[in-house]
Amino acid sequence: MENVAIDFKNHFNNYVQNLETYIMFQIKQRTLELTEELTKKGRKPISLSMGAPVDMVPKFAVDTLKSCLDDPSIHTYSTPKGEKFFTEAVIERMKSRFNVDIKQDEVFSLIGSKEGIANLIRELINPTTDIKNKDIILIPDPGYASYGEMVKVSGGLGYGVPLTKENNYMPDLELVLEQLKKDSLNPEKIKALVINYPNNPLGAVATKEYLQKCVDFCIKHQIILMSDNAYSEIYFDDNDKPLSILELKGAKDVAVEFHSFSKPYAMTGWRIGWVCGNKQIVSMFGKLKSTIDTGVFKALQLTGAKLLNSKEGEEYIHNANKNLKIKMDKFVQGLKSLGWQDVETPKASFYLWIKSPLKYKEDSREFCKDLLEKSGIVAVPGDAFGTNGKGYVRLSIVDSMENLNTVIERMKQDGHTFN
């Protein structure tokens, strides 16, 4: 029989058909296409795009993982909730780091925080193609590029909460609600508010007073508060560490918080994290999880449990943050020498949020295109993170100091100045 080319696209639901390919994969593909050409002209690509630390994971974690692999019981199914040794370690960590008391029925393991956020959003939304009847998730704009797609593929509506320099990246949520009504949307369809401080892509942090306003807003309007705290351990002042939403009064009435090993320990490929907070939300979340996966590999849970509260883990975070601050400060000085006078090292995260050069007239995509094709510098246009990202570019300062110095030198040589 002859091979027949069958188009199965229409077999997939409308939400999946309309999904965009994740911006980082688009950028990576274009970079691969240009790598040979760029390398030949002395501009081998240097990535400032992915929010992924390039340092080696803690040796303590590697040694711990190796040491438990000969145990036959470590290779059997784990429980989706998380092995007790893992959840107990999370409880201890939340207490020692944030002074938050978490109980066993208020925590659940994750295959990375991204998976957890996506699955909770999926559970909250009753899918429909009728725009007026869509369930709404309030998401930061600009914000992590996957939030909007997570909502879209679930059949809901992601409504942007504007994070701007004018509102100090801490918008008045009541004004957002009023705007939503003006846009002819029903506020009673709002299921959740997603917050992300320290923020990707801005590097912005929130005050304790503002986080309390977020909690109070969600209590008042009976909205679930989802705190994506993936960057809580990347900070530059030991006396001003990022907070947990669960530290705030009344937070457990409405909030859950997502944590990850990926950023603080450079364990992006290990895919392990947790969600904790409101007992009912965590329990409902667990119902879906227990039907679609059988939990994180027990060896990873054991390693993570030992790392979370270890002296070695704390030293790793301290040293990583110390080195990142040095790189950040030097790179910021390099950008200032090229005309970006208003850029500053953020209080937390490894992101820099900079304006597109004046000659590009706020066209950050064209600027990023030129950075890549002329200079082999891989960056992300700000509008990939939302409409309020127009005219900005996100730079991820995770590469070696040598490569970061090379980036500044290439920009200088190739005429990539702000003015």
Side-chain angles (χ1 to χ4, degrees), residues 21 30 42 55 69 114 129 131 175 183 228 297 303 311 340 348 409 414:
T21 300
R30 182 58 179 154
D55 296 330
L69 291 177
K114 180 178 183 178
T129 55
I131 189 72
L175 292 180
D183 291 337
D228 179 359
F297 180 30
T303 302
K311 173 175 65 71
W340 276 273
E409 188 58 33
D414 298 346

Side-chain angles (χ1 to χ4, degrees), residues 116-139:
I117 294 167
N119 274 322
L120 181 52
I121 287 173
R122 178 182 176 187
E123 285 187 274
L124 296 176
I125 291 172
N126 293 296
T128 177
T129 55
D130 181 358
I131 189 72
K132 296 297 181 183
N133 286 312
K134 281 182 178 289
D135 289 327
I136 298 168
I137 307 292
L138 301 176
I139 58 176

Side-chain angles (χ1 to χ4, degrees), residues 23-24 140-145 200-201 353 380-387 389 394:
I23 182 65
M24 298 306 166
D141 178 4
Y144 178 40
N200 169 18
W353 186 245
V380 189
D383 58 7
F385 302 98
T387 57
R394 191 195 77 176

Side-chain angles (χ1 to χ4, degrees), residues 332-343 354-364 366-368 370-371 374-375 377 391 393 395 407-419:
V332 164
Q333 288 307 309
L335 288 175
K336 286 181 180 292
S337 73
L338 295 170
W340 276 273
Q341 293 303 320
D342 63 346
V343 65
I354 67 170
K355 290 181 180 178
S356 298
L358 297 177
K359 67 179 180 179
Y360 288 91
K361 298 179 180 178
E362 296 195 345
D363 190 343
S364 55
E366 189 64 23
F367 176 46
C368 288
D370 283 353
L371 277 176
K374 293 180 181 178
S375 307
I377 299 166
V393 171
L395 304 176
V407 166
I408 296 297
E409 188 58 33
R410 285 185 191 177
M411 290 178 72
K412 190 177 298 182
Q413 293 172 356
D414 298 346
H416 297 301
T417 60
F418 180 70
N419 299 305

Side-chain angles (χ1 to χ4, degrees), residues 34-97:
L34 292 171
T35 294
E36 184 177 354
E37 174 189 335
L38 287 166
T39 303
K40 284 179 180 177
K41 68 175 188 178
R43 292 292 187 264
K44 183 178 179 180
I46 298 174
S47 179
L48 303 184
S49 58
M50 287 293 285
V54 297
D55 296 330
M56 181 58 181
V57 303
K59 185 178 184 301
F60 177 85
V62 175
D63 291 343
T64 302
L65 180 63
K66 288 178 179 177
S67 71
C68 69
L69 291 177
D70 288 330
D71 178 357
S73 68
I74 211 77
H75 300 281
T76 58
Y77 284 125
S78 63
T79 171
K81 177 178 175 56
E83 300 300 312
K84 193 173 182 183
F85 54 73
F86 179 74
T87 55
E88 286 179 344
V90 167
I91 290 168
E92 181 181 347
R93 177 66 178 178
M94 292 300 295
K95 181 64 176 178
S96 64
R97 170 65 175 86

